[in-house]
Amino acid sequence: MQNPPRITANGNLGPINAALVPRYAGPATYARLPRLDEVARADVAVVGVPFDTGVSFRPGARFGANHVREASRLLRPYNPAQDTSPFENLQVADAGDMAVNPFNINEAIETIQANALDLTEGGTKLLTLGGDHTIALPLLRAASERAGQPVAMLHFDAHLDTWDSYFGAEYTHGTPFRRAVEEGILDTEAISHVGTRGPLYGKRDLEDDRRFGFGIVTSSDVFRQGVDEVVAKLRDRIGNRPLYISVDIDVLDPAHAPGTGTPEAGGMTSRELLEILRGMRGLNLVGADVVEVAPAYDHADITAVAASHVAYDLITLMGLGE
C-alpha cells in the first residue's frame, strides 16, 4: 500500500483512516500505526520480541506479537475510558520485531537489553509485545538504566515468577523477578504482584516472595475487595517513583485468555484488569510489556483482543503521566 491515508493530529502521524481503508486491509502494524522508519521521532515505540525459549509448559508465545497486532486492527483513536486520544498526545510507532536468538537464552537476554536501550535513546518509551516472560528481565534492566535508579513495578500474572531456577537454568519465564531483585534494578519498597492464584511448590514460595519485598494482590483479593480499593493500595505503594508494568496475559481467567502457555483457573476478568490499569492514571509509567500470548491455543482471538486492549490502555497511560 502506497502512502495510506492516515489520521493526523498535533503533528503526530496516527493510524490508517478506517473510514477510507477497511480495517482488514493493509499491513498489520499495531493499531495500524506507522512504522518507526516512517516517523521522524517516537514518544512510544511498540516492539515485538518473538521469543519463547524460556517457557516451562506450552510453547507458542514467539508468535504472540503478530497475533496481537492483527487483533489491534479494531482499535480506534479515541479512548473514552480515559477521555483522551492517545495517538494525538503521543507519536506512537511500530518498531517491528527484535531479532533474538531462539537457541541461546543468555544471548537473547543480552540482545533484548541492547535493543531496548537503543530504542529508548532520546526519551522514547517502550511498549513490548512478547514472547514469554523471560524478556521482562532485560527490559527492566534497560528501564532502570534509563531511569537512573531502580524502578517500581506492577506485575500482573497468575504466577509469582520469582522461582530460583528450572532444571538448573537461572533465566526462564518463571525466574525474571527474582533475578531483577538480586540485580538491584527493582525498588523493593514499591513492587507488587496482582492477580496471582493457583497451586505453588510450597509455602516457601510465598516466604521468598515476601523476603524480596513483593506485595501480593491475589485474584481473590480483586474479587472481594473490588477494583477501587486495590487501585488505592497500589498507588499508595508506588508513589511518584518511575513505574514499569509487566502484564502476563495469564493473569486473566482462561475464559478471557485461553491462548496462553500456563493457564490457571479463577483469574481476573478483562474488565477488572483494564480498570486497574486505568486506575494508574497520572503515575510515572516509564515502560510496559504484555507477554505470554500463544496463538495456537487462542479461540476466536479472545486472548489477542484482550492483549491488544491492554496494550492500548498502557500506551494511553504513557501519555497521561506526571
Side-chain angles (χ1 to χ4, degrees):
M1 181 185 298
Q2 298 296 319
N3 299 319
R6 292 189 175 277
I7 298 170
T8 60
N10 297 330
N12 294 324
L13 194 61
I16 293 173
N17 191 332
L20 300 175
V21 180
R23 296 185 183 281
Y24 46 81
T29 57
Y30 179 78
R32 306 178 87 205
L33 288 161
R35 300 188 313 268
L36 188 59
D37 62 3
E38 293 178 305
V39 297
R41 51 159 255 290
D43 300 305
V44 177
V46 180
V47 65
V49 182
F51 176 86
D52 64 3
T53 307
V55 300
S56 58
F57 194 50
R58 302 192 305 200
R62 66 182 60 185
F63 302 110
N66 281 334
H67 190 50
V68 174
R69 286 184 177 109
E70 285 289 349
S72 74
R73 290 175 179 273
L74 284 169
L75 295 172
R76 296 176 178 87
Y78 175 66
N79 185 339
Q82 303 208 51
D83 188 24
T84 191
S85 298
F87 309 136
E88 290 185 15
N89 297 337
L90 301 165
Q91 178 61 72
V92 186
D94 193 318
D97 290 342
M98 295 185 188
V100 180
N101 188 337
F103 303 110
N104 187 317
I105 290 180
N106 288 352
E107 181 184 321
I109 288 172
E110 292 175 1
T111 300
I112 295 166
Q113 182 179 351
N115 286 348
L117 286 170
D118 286 344
L119 286 166
T120 54
E121 188 173 8
T124 299
K125 295 181 180 181
L126 278 190
L127 187 289
T128 307
L129 303 174
D132 76 53
H133 225 155
T134 310
I135 73 173
L137 177 62
L139 294 170
L140 282 166
R141 287 176 179 171
S144 176
E145 182 171 337
R146 287 295 179 214
Q149 65 184 88
V151 295
M153 184 183 69
L154 290 181
H155 168 222
F156 292 84
D157 202 323
H159 311 97
L160 301 173
D161 288 1
T162 52
W163 287 283
D164 189 32
S165 65
Y166 283 101
F167 296 90
E170 294 183 335
Y171 301 105
T172 76
H173 75 159
T175 65
F177 305 118
R178 181 184 285 241
R179 300 287 91 84
V181 169
E182 292 170 347
E183 293 179 14
I185 57 178
L186 292 179
D187 184 336
T188 54
E189 297 293 317
I191 52 177
S192 294
H193 306 296
V194 184
T196 52
R197 61 191 187 277
L200 299 170
Y201 293 108
K203 190 171 183 179
R204 182 176 174 179
D205 293 342
L206 295 173
E207 293 168 350
D208 284 350
D209 214 63
R210 282 192 291 269
R211 178 165 53 86
F212 299 145
F214 280 94
I216 297 179
V217 179
T218 68
S219 61
S220 295
D221 291 334
V222 174
F223 170 70
R224 295 183 183 281
Q225 296 173 16
V227 166
D228 291 345
E229 183 174 338
V230 167
V231 165
K233 290 179 178 179
L234 293 175
R235 290 182 66 96
D236 183 62
R237 187 171 176 85
I238 295 162
N240 61 0
R241 299 170 174 89
L243 171 65
Y244 188 94
I245 295 179
S246 185
V247 180
D248 184 329
I249 205 64
D250 73 21
V251 71
L252 299 178
D253 189 87
H256 297 264
T260 193
T262 47
E264 300 279 359
M268 292 164 53
T269 68
S270 54
R271 179 175 59 244
E272 288 170 332
L273 174 57
L274 290 169
E275 287 300 321
I276 292 173
L277 290 175
R278 292 163 184 165
M280 300 303 114
R281 182 181 179 125
L283 299 186
N284 182 19
L285 183 58
V286 297
D289 63 60
V290 183
V291 301
E292 298 283 359
V293 174
Y297 314 106
D298 196 15
H299 311 299
D301 296 344
I302 294 171
T303 314
V305 168
S308 70
H309 281 262
V310 167
Y312 179 66
D313 269 289
L314 288 168
I315 291 169
T316 303
L317 289 176
M318 290 178 182
L320 298 172
E322 294 182 310

